[in-house]
Amino acid sequence: MTIREFHLDIPQADLDDLRERLSRTRYPVQTPGAGSERGVTVAELRELAGYWATGYDWRAHEAELNAHPQYVTEIDGQDIHFLHVRSPEPDATPLILTHGWPGSVVEFLDVIGPLTDPEAHGGDPADAFHLVIPSVPGFGLSAPLRGTGWTLGRIARAWATLMARLGYERYGAQGGDWGSGISRELGLTDSEHVIGVHVNYLMTFPSGDLGEVSESDKARLAKLEEFTGDMGGYMAIQSSRPHTLGFGLADSPAGQLAWIAEKFREWTDRPVDRDRLLTNVSLYWLTNTADSAAQIYWEFSHAWSMPQSSPTPLGVAVFPHDIVLPIRRLAERTDKVVHWTEFETGGHFAAMEEPELLVRDIRAFFRSVR
């Protein structure tokens, strides 16, 4: 039941080791004429790694994280790290935000202010939230893992325990990537207390009689097929042999950078801030969690089943350059969809790419379900 205050302070020796390793990177010899369609190129990684080693200031971004109250508590045998940022509005709605892979709590830094203190950001104080932003077990500061079996359902049950421990009886949930699945599971696990779930990523599965399929839906089904095929190599290896991959990512910061930077290049509408990207990658490297973070893929693939029907109101924000795009009528087969927004810009990392649009949609959804 103990909740301990936490302050992030990476040893200087670890930062020195990172720079020294980057200075000794042995880059691969790539085939002439082969471009970025085959993965990250030496040219782009050399530039980014060079900046990471000589231009990027971890301490400045560490201080930004430490500007928000952070805590650690043990749930189900696992230490769980989380940010807990209360709004100045006493009647604010509690909201738990959950990241995915290859993300972290860093994803949400640009939305914390507008969500907790809307009046200071040109919004309505009635739209304020008390934010709880946990690190998923095995990710970042919720590591090392103390055992296996951290499925989406188990994580959701841990989140329900966390919110109860913090004294929140009615609250909302929001997430993208794995955070979307965890948030939806939370709506099932703790439906008596979850007032609504908002996601900016939703995978809808074509099953049964699809009826007449529009051209738009055909394009979305084709995008799903592309993701599970050509773009799904990372998912296949993390779902089957995460340990083997982990050796390379734990030993080479350039390898860790390439593994994550590729996703931020392919899954975004426009480049995210370079320092934000490197803060996210640094958190993986400095906590040595490439292996443990990948375990969520193994757990999911070995426990997967078709989604259960959920009674909790669901809001969906669809950003056009996400890795998959949901089909509303398929989502409505299993979810109580009460809010659906199609945006014209943005990709997979909405809180980093389009924070204003995401904040606006979160406010609109929860305004309707409070």
Side-chain angles (χ1 to χ4, degrees), residues 59-79:
R59 292 299 184 198
H61 300 285
E62 182 181 69
E64 185 178 9
L65 281 164
N66 283 328
H68 302 293
Q70 298 179 72
Y71 304 88
V72 174
T73 191
E74 184 178 316
I75 301 176
D76 196 9
Q78 176 66 39
D79 277 348

Side-chain angles (χ1 to χ4, degrees), residues 37 225-234 266:
E37 73 280 356
E225 186 175 350
E226 179 189 15
F227 170 63
T228 56
D230 179 66
M231 297 178 65
Y234 82 97
E266 293 187 347

